[in-house]
């Protein structure tokens, strides 16, 4: 399992989420408390939005806690919308192309969880990716396939429904050709304007997701684990919910993948 954090709001230094808080994302890369693996050292990545439509992307295979370039970067770069991820592989190789977030055009995407038995039906999953999107298939993870299938289902038009159909496709493949647990998922993704998150599982164990408005940062944070224990309470995104964060506030909706 992995850990991730995302932010949208007033411009802040990336370090305000990634390295400064007591239980920052870098701290979680060494000592996570709400997942099976306390250590998440199989790489890291950041996608951030600035003056251009497409996000900047920095990913590497080193553990987040040991990369001095990461700390230097997050202490200098400011953004009003960014995603960050530390990886614990569930089977695919430790490589830069397998590190999250993934990006294509204006979209960025990161995932924590697993698709049961993916290695036994990876070819069938890859065949679901249309030709016009296959150039973005750089790595070997189930997460990247989920992202490209969501793009196939038209993320631009309806992010929630597109992700529901993509998750349903992958869960259906796992039920037909894989093994349990068929789907465990927490996702964060963005088009550069809004920030979206989802939490879902085919069984009773859904990866944790929390969110809150920060008065000190003047923005929303959505995370795998609370970054700090302060007076500003974190809300838990419930299993089977989809979260939309915009300048207008937070909205949750039911998240119900369409099984094929």
């Amino acid at each position: 399992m992995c850990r991730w954090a995302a932010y949208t709001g007033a411009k802040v230094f990336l370090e305000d989420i990634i390295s400064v808080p007591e239980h920052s994302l870098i701290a979680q890369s060494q000592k996570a408390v709400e997942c099976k693996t306390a250590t998440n050292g199989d790489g890291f990545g950041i996608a951030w939005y600035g003056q251009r439509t497409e996000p900047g992307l920095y990913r590497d295979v080193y553990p987040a806690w040991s990369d001095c370039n990461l700390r230097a970067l997050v202490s200098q770069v400011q953004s009003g919308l960014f995603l960050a991820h530390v990886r614990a592989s569930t089977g695919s190789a430790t490589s830069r192309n397998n590190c999250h977030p993934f990006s294509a055009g204006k979209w960025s995407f990161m995932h924590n969880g697993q698709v049961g038995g993916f290695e036994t039906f990876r070819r069938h999953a890859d065949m679901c990716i249309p030709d016009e999107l296959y150039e973005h298939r750089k790595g070997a993870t189930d997460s990247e396939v989920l992202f490209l299938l969501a793009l196939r289902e038209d993320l631009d038009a309806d992010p929630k429904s597109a992700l529901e159909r993509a998750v349903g496709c992958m869960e259906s493949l796992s039920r037909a050709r894989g093994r349990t647990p068929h789907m465990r998922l927490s996702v964060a993704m963005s088009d550069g304007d809004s920030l979206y998150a989802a939490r879902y599982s085919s069984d009773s164990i859904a990866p944790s997701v929390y969110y809150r408005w920060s008065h000190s940062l003047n923005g929303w944070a959505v995370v795998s684990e609370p970054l700090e224990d302060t007076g500003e309470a974190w809300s838990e995104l419930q299993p089977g919910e989809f979260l939309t964060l915009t300048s207008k506030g937070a909205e949750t909706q039911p998240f119900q993948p369409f099984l094929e």
Side-chain angles (χ1 to χ4, degrees):
M1 295 297 182
C2 310
R3 301 284 84 179
W4 55 256
Y7 170 86
T8 182
K11 280 189 176 182
V12 299
F13 288 104
L14 306 190
E15 68 177 4
D16 291 332
I17 299 292
I18 294 172
S19 63
V20 168
E22 180 180 358
H23 196 51
S24 69
L25 193 62
I26 289 181
Q28 292 176 40
S29 72
Q30 287 186 292
K31 195 174 182 180
V33 297
E34 295 195 34
C35 63
K36 289 168 55 179
T37 54
T39 303
N40 297 271
D42 296 324
F44 65 86
I46 311 168
W48 70 96
Y49 292 88
Q51 300 303 311
R52 301 179 186 275
T53 301
E54 297 184 357
L57 197 64
Y58 176 54
R59 302 182 296 175
D60 217 328
V61 298
Y62 300 109
W65 67 79
S66 69
D67 190 288
C68 60
N69 292 321
L70 174 62
R71 290 185 182 273
L73 178 72
V74 301
S75 70
Q76 293 293 333
V77 174
Q78 288 182 300
S79 175
L81 178 52
F82 59 91
L83 290 70
H85 186 279
V86 292
R87 183 171 183 253
S89 173
T90 56
S92 56
T94 301
S95 72
R96 189 176 286 111
N97 284 335
N98 286 340
C99 292
H100 310 220
F102 306 104
S103 67
K106 66 180 182 180
W107 282 95
S108 57
F109 178 98
M110 60 187 180
H111 166 239
N112 170 39
Q114 63 190 108
V115 182
F118 175 72
E119 65 280 2
T120 67
F121 61 85
R122 188 171 71 184
R123 183 176 66 86
H124 296 276
D126 278 5
M127 290 174 65
C128 296
I129 302 170
D131 290 345
E132 62 270 21
L133 291 172
Y134 202 78
E135 65 178 288
H136 299 292
R137 178 62 164 148
K138 306 293 188 182
T141 64
D142 51 6
S143 306
E144 189 178 48
V145 176
L146 271 174
F147 176 39
L148 297 177
L149 294 184
L151 287 170
R152 181 193 72 176
E153 298 298 334
D154 202 354
L155 272 176
D156 288 331
D158 189 338
K160 184 178 82 77
S161 294
L163 186 61
E164 285 174 329
R165 289 190 290 271
V167 172
C169 176
M170 289 289 276
E171 183 177 337
S172 296
L173 283 171
S174 176
R175 289 181 180 275
R177 299 177 177 275
R179 60 175 180 269
T180 59
H182 296 299
M183 180 65 67
R184 289 179 182 170
L185 168 142
S186 70
V187 158
M189 59 186 186
S190 179
D191 59 359
D193 291 318
S194 302
L195 179 58
Y196 305 97
R199 184 183 182 197
Y200 172 78
S201 179
S202 59
D203 60 12
S204 61
I205 305 174
S208 56
V209 179
Y210 300 87
Y211 66 100
R212 77 171 183 189
W213 171 263
S214 171
H215 292 283
S216 59
L217 298 180
N218 195 28
W220 289 97
V222 55
V223 299
S224 293
E225 299 184 12
L227 303 177
E228 54 196 7
D229 185 13
T230 68
E232 297 176 313
W234 293 87
S235 298
E236 184 178 5
L237 189 67
Q238 296 301 311
E241 283 191 335
F242 184 88
L243 173 68
T244 302
L245 297 173
T246 68
S247 58
K248 297 179 181 178
E251 179 188 9
T252 58
Q253 300 171 270
F255 183 77
Q256 301 173 325
F258 305 103
L259 297 182
E260 298 178 355

